[in-house]
Amino acid sequence: KIINNNPELWLLNFVKIINEENKLIPFKVNAEQKHFLNNRSKYNLILKSRRLGFSTLSLGLMLYYAYQIPNSTYLMVAHDKTTLRELFNALKTMQNHIPDNIKLKENKNNRDELELENKSRIIIKCPDDGLGAGMKLQIVHLSEYALYSDNVQESALVAVEQSLAKNKDSMGIIESTARGVSNNFYKM
């Protein structure tokens, strides 16, 4: 019960990730990730340097909450298909290495969606495929937001805000490395 009520402990005890040396290790949050966990809110905007692990943390949080909240939906959006596939593979690695005694079976596991037996779903999309309009999302993560087209950047916030579930744990996470001063991410 203590572990299931704490995302950081749940990740450490039940989730494995591939580190920078290509080794499978327990998901121990780093200092930047811990700061985010302790200070997150419903709407989160992160200006970051590369390789701090915020996409990995977002995936881990999606998996954590998918296990805790039946019938919930999560959306990961990345700027291109290659990055999206890498992120989704990281999520599947996490799911595949959860201990069997707590691991939820998968109803669906394809190129775009992972659905667990409790009917929670984690979906991936590119920005041009839509950003959750018409969905009820527990978490939406917009990765490398500054690389999205100007049109998508401007429409993204409305779609994300309207799609978030109306509970205390739902959240939007927008993160990116800096990409100049002429985009919506810079203005935010």
Side-chain angles (χ1 to χ4, degrees):
K1 186 175 180 179
I2 291 171
I3 291 171
N4 279 336
N5 287 329
N6 183 317
E8 183 178 353
L9 288 176
W10 194 87
L11 293 171
L12 178 63
N13 285 280
F14 301 141
V15 175
K16 296 203 181 316
I17 59 172
I18 307 285
N19 71 4
E20 294 293 324
E21 290 85 36
N22 294 317
K23 293 180 181 168
L24 190 65
I25 61 168
F27 190 158
K28 182 176 182 187
V29 299
N30 64 34
E32 293 83 7
Q33 292 167 332
K34 188 172 186 71
H35 178 78
F36 175 81
L37 287 173
N38 292 334
N39 295 285
R40 64 193 161 140
S41 65
K42 188 166 210 67
Y43 305 103
N44 302 278
L45 183 65
I46 303 167
L47 172 62
K48 65 177 188 73
S49 60
R50 301 235 341 110
R51 312 289 309 160
L52 288 179
F54 282 106
S55 293
T56 303
L57 178 62
S58 293
L59 292 169
L61 286 173
M62 289 179 188
L63 196 58
Y64 166 76
Y65 282 109
Y67 269 68
Q68 308 305 316
I69 306 171
N71 306 303
S72 53
T73 304
Y74 305 82
L75 179 63
M76 168 61 78
V77 181
H79 62 289
D80 64 33
K81 289 181 182 178
T82 302
T83 302
L84 203 52
R85 293 284 163 242
E86 288 297 315
L87 290 171
F88 207 43
N89 286 338
L91 173 74
K92 289 179 180 186
T93 297
M94 292 177 189
Q95 167 65 6
N96 290 339
H97 290 91
I98 289 180
D100 289 339
N101 60 330
I102 66 148
K103 186 177 190 174
L104 293 177
K105 292 184 174 119
E106 299 167 4
N107 287 345
K108 191 184 293 184
N109 185 342
N110 61 38
R111 292 179 50 174
D112 302 316
E113 181 177 351
L114 174 66
E115 181 181 292
L116 302 173
E117 66 181 308
N118 69 357
K119 302 293 186 207
S120 290
R121 303 178 313 144
I122 302 171
I123 301 166
I124 62 168
K125 287 186 173 196
C126 284
D128 296 332
D129 296 335
L131 296 172
M135 301 173 82
K136 181 176 69 173
L137 300 170
Q138 187 63 31
I139 296 176
V140 59
H141 177 197
L142 307 180
S143 181
E144 289 299 343
Y145 180 79
L147 293 175
Y148 300 3
S149 70
D150 291 338
N151 290 343
V152 171
Q153 281 191 39
E154 291 185 17
S155 64
L157 297 180
V158 173
V160 167
E161 185 175 10
Q162 291 176 352
S163 67
L164 282 179
K166 308 294 185 235
N167 63 53
K168 68 178 181 63
D169 292 318
S170 69
M171 73 178 101
I173 303 169
I174 299 173
E175 55 85 1
S176 189
T177 51
R179 300 286 181 199
V181 296
S182 62
N183 60 56
N184 200 48
F185 183 71
Y186 174 79
K187 292 174 192 169
M188 292 188 319

